[in-house]
Amino acid sequence: MDSGGSTDMTLAFELEALKALADPNAVFNNARQWTEYVGVVSEKPTYVVTNFTRKHRVRQDFFSGPRGVEESLKNISGQFDTDRHVFVGVDEDDEAVAEATDWEFLHVEDAAEAAGWTLATGEAEEEAAEEKARDDWP
């Protein structure tokens, strides 16, 4: 993804968008080359995000913690003063949250195409479904 030469950007992934990518760690490592800050936001409990990021060795600059996505995006834009704030999500709800918080929205498939990231298929989708089934287990 080309940011026009500027790395003055904060990039937030909705957890489901991150799960849609084949190699979340590689995506974060790549994104660090052209962003200032990168992290994960989700409506899911903190332990779900933490478990996923640890399992995939994703080092994030921020995460939503106990807050919802909208509150998290507002707080993040206040803490990380960059020229651009971009939210990568999966659906119209994510797009609406981005609009409500003055973040740019990118659908994960468009972001993946622009940045050369690989979307998850087959086995990775099964793994995500398996994780979803265990979301209620601490």
Side-chain angles (χ1 to χ4, degrees):
M1 181 178 289
D2 182 13
S3 63
S6 171
T7 61
D8 198 20
M9 180 193 316
T10 301
L11 184 66
F13 286 88
E14 206 292 326
L15 180 61
E16 295 307 312
L18 199 56
K19 287 181 176 182
L21 297 163
D23 188 347
N25 181 37
V27 167
F28 265 57
N29 289 338
N30 173 261
R32 287 190 188 287
Q33 296 174 32
W34 42 266
T35 62
E36 190 71 30
Y37 307 104
V38 61
V40 182
V41 295
S42 177
E43 295 289 338
K44 301 275 188 194
T46 303
Y47 75 87
V48 174
V49 176
T50 302
N51 288 346
F52 182 84
T53 55
R54 279 186 186 154
K55 180 178 181 179
H56 294 280
R57 294 187 162 92
V58 171
R59 185 178 57 82
Q60 55 191 336
D61 296 316
F62 58 83
F63 66 99
S64 52
R67 298 178 186 91
V69 172
E70 187 168 344
E71 185 180 350
S72 294
L73 292 178
K74 287 177 184 175
N75 287 337
I76 292 162
S77 60
Q79 290 178 351
F80 299 97
D81 187 25
T82 54
D83 288 343
R84 295 176 65 198
H85 292 89
V86 180
F87 179 47
V88 179
V90 296
D91 57 26
E92 292 169 358
D93 291 341
D94 291 343
E95 188 169 4
V97 169
E99 188 174 316
T101 56
D102 292 326
W103 281 62
E104 297 174 43
F105 177 79
L106 266 178
H107 194 280
V108 66
E109 290 161 353
D110 296 332
E113 183 177 331
W117 302 329
T118 304
L119 291 169
T121 57
E123 186 178 306
E125 288 173 358
E126 289 172 22
E127 183 178 301
E130 195 176 296
E131 281 184 21
K132 192 174 209 156
R134 293 189 305 240
D135 274 351
D136 63 338
W137 185 78

